[in-house]
């Protein structure tokens, strides 16, 4: 899914926000990149899709907007493009060649080459007319900070910003929706394929709602069917199971266990209905939220070194109150709209209503490492 226009803007209610480019500057490159992922036509508005005669809901634009993702098969880039790379006259691919240091002139302003090393101790250096660092939000930072031969703080770090503003996409459990209309009316939101293309349709606060409520960009999508309206006990079972999947044991585990025992009849009934796949009564909701740029969320280097003799990284990373409020307000908007349309009742995850960090302890993540080498509007 491409970024939204407001993602590039400097928003007064989001500290340190704003890009020096606009969405229209990268739109042509989105379109060029899409076929590489073996995805169909470039279309991210729900109006461009045929949902088999089941229309999407007509949303209040002052509250909600549709979000749409197109899904790659996924593409395995090696097998898919190895023949093109072999035939190319201007591309040479080096395997097992780990970049370990960027060579620069004594001022640190001009790059002269990139040093390479493999796990067998072989070393080399390559040079080029131009260099592109595309190692992700963690490894690109590590390479810059580790290249400290002529720049004691690392290359490009004259203002101490390299490694700061680390961001990810938290995926909190947002609650669930129980249908008050026919399940088929929600089909565009829970089916994952239309017109032979994998897609996901979700909901998020409109640009005007984000500004009015002072929240970040966010989305909510259906995740996992509900066969029986959840009890507090079943809610605790789900939270305990998710914690164990992540190798954790929640601080309030005792309260969850007590809730399960108190509602044991409902827990057993819901478990049976899940196992037998009875009629679907609703879906869980999972959120994907933007994170506010925070300079204290950062990558730094440690004195410990890996097999390539590169310093290992330390990640300082926490999600904050604005992220919790964003998800809470987004689910509230969904609840208001589903109520107005008369299609469903939304139950919010109670932890999103608490003014503490408990909501963030059982998050899942997307592997989208961002922010550590932020684009600047100047060369100074």
């Amino acid at each position: 899914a491409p970024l939204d226009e407001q993602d590039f803007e400097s928003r007064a209610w989001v500290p340190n926000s704003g890009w020096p480019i606009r969405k229209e500057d990268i739109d042509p490159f989105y379109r060029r990149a899409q076929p590489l992922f073996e995805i169909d036509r470039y279309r991210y508005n729900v109006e461009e899709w045929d949902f088999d005669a089941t229309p999407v809901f007509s949303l209040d634009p002052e509250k909600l907007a549709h979000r749409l993702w197109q899904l790659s098969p996924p593409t395995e880039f090696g097998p898919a493009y190895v023949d093109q790379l072999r035939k190319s006259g201007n591309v040479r691919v080096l395997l097992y060649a780990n970049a370990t240091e960027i060579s620069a002139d004594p001022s640190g302003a001009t790059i002269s080459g990139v040093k390479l090393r493999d796990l067998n101790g072989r070393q080399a250096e390559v040079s080029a007319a131009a260099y592109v660092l595309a190692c992700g939000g963690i490894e690109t930072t590590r390479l810059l900070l580790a290249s400290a031969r002529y720049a004691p703080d690392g290359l490009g770090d004259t203002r101490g910003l390299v490694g700061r503003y680390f961001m990810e996409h938290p995926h909190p459990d947002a609650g669930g929706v129980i249908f008050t209309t026919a399940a088929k009316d929600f089909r565009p939101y829970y089916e994952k394929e239309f017109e032979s293309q994998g897609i996901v349709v979700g909901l998020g606060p409109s640009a005007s709602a984000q500004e009015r409520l002072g929240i970040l960009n966010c989305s909510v999508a259906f995740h996992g069917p509900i066969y029986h309206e959840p009890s507090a006990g079943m809610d605790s079972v789900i939270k305990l199971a998710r914690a164990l999947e992540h190798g954790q044991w929640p601080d309030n585990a005792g309260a969850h266990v007590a809730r399960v025992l108190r509602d044991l009849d409902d827990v057993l009934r819901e478990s049976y209905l899940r196992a037998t796949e009875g009629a679907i009564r609703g879906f869980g909701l999972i959120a994907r939220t933007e994170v506010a740029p925070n300079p204290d969320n950062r990558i730094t280097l440690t004195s410990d070194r890996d097999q390539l003799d590169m310093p290992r990284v330390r990640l300082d990373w926490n999600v904050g109150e604005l992220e919790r409020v964003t998800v809470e307000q987004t689910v509230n908007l969904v609840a208001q709209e589903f109520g107005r349309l008369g299609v469903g009742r939304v139950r919010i995850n109670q932890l999103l209503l608490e003014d503490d960090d408990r909501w963030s302890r059982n998050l899942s993540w997307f592997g989208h490492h961002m922010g550590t080498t932020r684009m600047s509007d100047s060369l100074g």
Side-chain angles (χ1 to χ4, degrees):
L3 293 167
D4 298 322
E5 289 184 12
Q6 66 266 26
D7 295 332
F8 293 82
E9 297 173 357
S10 179
R11 292 160 283 172
W13 64 96
V14 183
N16 304 304
S17 61
W19 291 43
I21 60 172
R22 315 302 305 163
K23 181 175 182 291
E24 56 263 29
D25 294 324
I26 61 173
D27 273 336
F29 304 100
Y30 275 138
R31 294 179 180 276
R32 284 175 56 188
Q34 176 133 336
L36 297 176
F37 294 87
E38 301 175 292
I39 298 177
D40 196 6
R41 290 183 291 124
Y42 188 86
R43 46 183 176 155
Y44 289 92
N45 294 318
V46 291
E47 293 80 9
E48 300 175 278
W49 288 82
D50 177 10
F51 294 111
D52 299 335
T54 304
V56 295
F57 297 132
S58 180
L59 303 172
D60 180 349
E62 291 301 309
K63 292 182 177 179
L64 285 181
H66 281 103
R67 305 281 191 262
L68 190 143
W69 299 263
Q70 295 193 53
L71 306 180
S72 176
T75 302
E76 296 185 34
F77 281 82
Y81 299 114
V82 64
D83 288 340
Q84 290 185 43
L85 292 169
R86 283 176 176 150
K87 294 174 183 176
S88 174
N90 63 349
V91 174
R92 183 183 180 191
V93 179
L94 304 179
L95 302 179
Y96 312 109
N98 303 280
T100 57
E101 184 181 358
I102 302 170
S103 300
D105 66 5
S107 70
T110 303
I111 296 174
S112 58
V114 176
K115 294 184 178 180
L116 310 174
R117 181 179 295 185
D118 70 9
L119 292 173
N120 294 317
R122 291 183 298 175
Q123 300 184 48
E125 185 166 353
V126 294
S127 59
Y131 302 84
V132 177
L133 304 185
C135 311
I138 294 177
E139 290 299 315
T140 297
T141 296
R142 177 160 80 144
L143 185 57
L144 286 169
L145 294 178
S147 301
R149 193 179 302 269
Y150 296 112
D153 297 322
L155 288 176
D157 200 28
T158 55
R159 296 190 180 183
L161 294 179
V162 174
R164 291 189 182 272
Y165 301 103
F166 177 86
M167 291 175 281
E168 238 274 36
H169 279 149
H171 284 39
D173 171 11
V177 56
I178 300 296
F179 303 152
T180 55
T181 185
K184 64 178 179 62
D185 293 341
F186 285 84
R187 193 167 173 226
Y189 302 93
Y190 63 76
E191 290 284 354
K192 301 302 181 190
E193 184 173 310
F194 290 94
E195 300 181 39
S196 300
Q197 171 67 55
I199 67 170
V200 173
V201 176
L203 306 160
S206 63
S208 58
Q210 291 175 44
E211 182 172 7
R212 183 177 69 255
L213 297 172
I215 60 176
L216 301 160
N217 206 345
C218 184
S219 66
V220 170
F222 285 8
H223 179 74
I226 296 173
Y227 302 100
H228 183 267
E229 188 159 358
S231 63
M234 194 63 197
D235 187 60
S236 287
V237 168
I238 293 170
K239 286 181 170 59
L240 288 170
R242 287 181 178 166
L244 291 173
E245 283 178 5
H246 292 84
Q248 300 171 343
W249 191 245
D251 295 339
N252 53 347
H256 283 308
V257 172
R259 206 173 292 151
V260 172
L261 295 175
R262 187 170 58 245
D263 295 337
L264 191 57
D265 287 346
D266 286 330
V267 170
L268 292 174
R269 186 183 302 113
E270 167 73 348
S271 300
Y272 171 77
L273 290 170
R274 285 172 177 253
T276 55
E277 294 189 357
I280 295 175
R281 294 195 56 195
F283 275 85
L285 297 173
I286 189 166
R288 302 174 176 92
T289 181
E290 177 187 13
V291 172
N294 179 352
D296 293 330
N297 287 332
R298 64 181 304 197
I299 300 287
T300 54
L301 301 185
T302 72
S303 58
D304 189 22
R305 292 187 171 262
D306 65 14
Q307 291 172 280
L308 296 167
D309 198 34
M310 285 195 72
R312 297 185 187 275
V313 301
R314 170 191 167 102
L315 171 61
D316 290 297
W317 161 236
N318 290 287
V319 289
E321 176 67 2
L322 181 55
E323 288 77 19
R324 182 194 66 78
V325 172
T326 292
V327 179
E328 176 196 354
Q329 292 293 336
T330 299
V331 179
N332 282 337
L333 292 172
V334 174
Q336 292 169 25
E337 280 298 274
F338 282 5
R340 179 184 68 83
L341 296 167
V343 296
R345 292 184 292 108
V346 172
R347 179 174 181 270
I348 191 170
N349 180 351
Q350 289 297 310
L351 292 180
L352 293 171
L353 304 176
E354 302 294 335
D355 186 14
D356 56 38
D357 67 349
R358 283 180 293 168
W359 75 279
S360 67
R361 294 179 191 173
N362 293 320
L363 295 174
S364 55
W365 305 95
F366 224 44
H368 283 176
H369 302 152
M370 303 167 285
T372 54
T373 51
R374 298 188 73 190
M375 186 181 294
S376 173
D377 57 5
S378 72
L379 296 176

